[in-house]
Amino acid sequence: MPMSIGDIMTEEVMAIHMDDTLLTAHTLFKQLGFHHLLVIEERRLMGVLSDRDILRWIGPHLDTPAETRADLERMRRPVHQLMTRKPVTVTPDTAITYAGNLMLEQRVSCLPVVNDRGHPVGIVSWRDLLSAHVMLQHV
């Protein structure tokens, strides 16, 4: 039986709310080492925010001696202003090859994994897909 996304997804996802600030997201990225946060409201997936979204928005000076007041002000914005809305999603039973093709076609680095009610149950990144591919090559 071919492997599915449910076999390789990360079930422990980090979620934030639409009105949380970019500073909150930035702090989570730094502390936890994640690259993607799911934006959730009432258990429903509303969007995805990546560490690269924030870096593109604030520039390279945050947390450096060159940091300005403007850098800090930008971090007070709510994440819903920067998140990717209506993200491309998959379900746990999605085939890994389909998910990989979807990521390439849509040019995304992660896919939230949702159940039939649209509630997030995990996340899969390009690293997860690459790890699965490498693992299958050694079986």
Side-chain angles (χ1 to χ4, degrees):
M1 176 193 249
M3 288 179 68
S4 67
I5 289 301
D7 297 322
I8 66 167
M9 71 182 188
T10 300
E11 292 181 32
E12 190 176 322
V13 296
M14 196 63 195
I16 56 176
H17 297 282
M18 292 181 63
D19 290 326
D20 285 338
T21 65
L22 294 177
L23 182 59
T24 299
H26 179 68
T27 301
L28 288 171
F29 285 134
K30 284 188 342 186
Q31 289 177 344
L32 303 174
F34 290 119
H35 296 284
H36 303 93
L37 295 171
L38 300 185
V39 183
I40 308 291
E41 288 298 323
E42 298 179 14
R43 297 182 54 208
R44 295 203 44 96
L45 177 67
M46 305 304 290
V48 175
L49 184 73
S50 76
D51 56 352
R52 288 178 295 162
D53 293 332
I54 292 178
L55 288 175
R56 279 193 294 269
W57 174 250
I58 61 166
H61 302 298
L62 191 70
D63 297 331
T64 71
E67 178 180 88
T68 67
R69 174 179 262 152
D71 292 326
L72 295 174
E73 284 298 317
R74 286 180 168 187
M75 296 304 284
R76 291 186 180 163
R77 290 185 181 253
V79 297
H80 71 81
Q81 291 182 356
L82 218 59
M83 72 181 190
T84 299
R85 294 177 183 270
K86 298 181 182 175
V88 179
T89 63
V90 292
T91 62
D93 61 341
T94 301
I96 290 175
T97 52
Y98 177 83
N101 285 325
L102 187 60
M103 289 176 79
L104 290 170
E105 289 169 6
Q106 299 294 317
R107 301 181 57 86
V108 296
S109 57
C110 78
L111 295 168
V113 184
V114 297
N115 64 18
D116 56 358
R117 292 191 213 145
H119 298 163
V121 295
I123 191 167
V124 65
S125 71
W126 66 267
R127 284 184 177 96
D128 299 323
L129 292 174
L130 182 59
S131 294
H133 174 75
V134 169
M135 182 179 69
L136 288 172
Q137 297 304 309
H138 290 91
V139 172

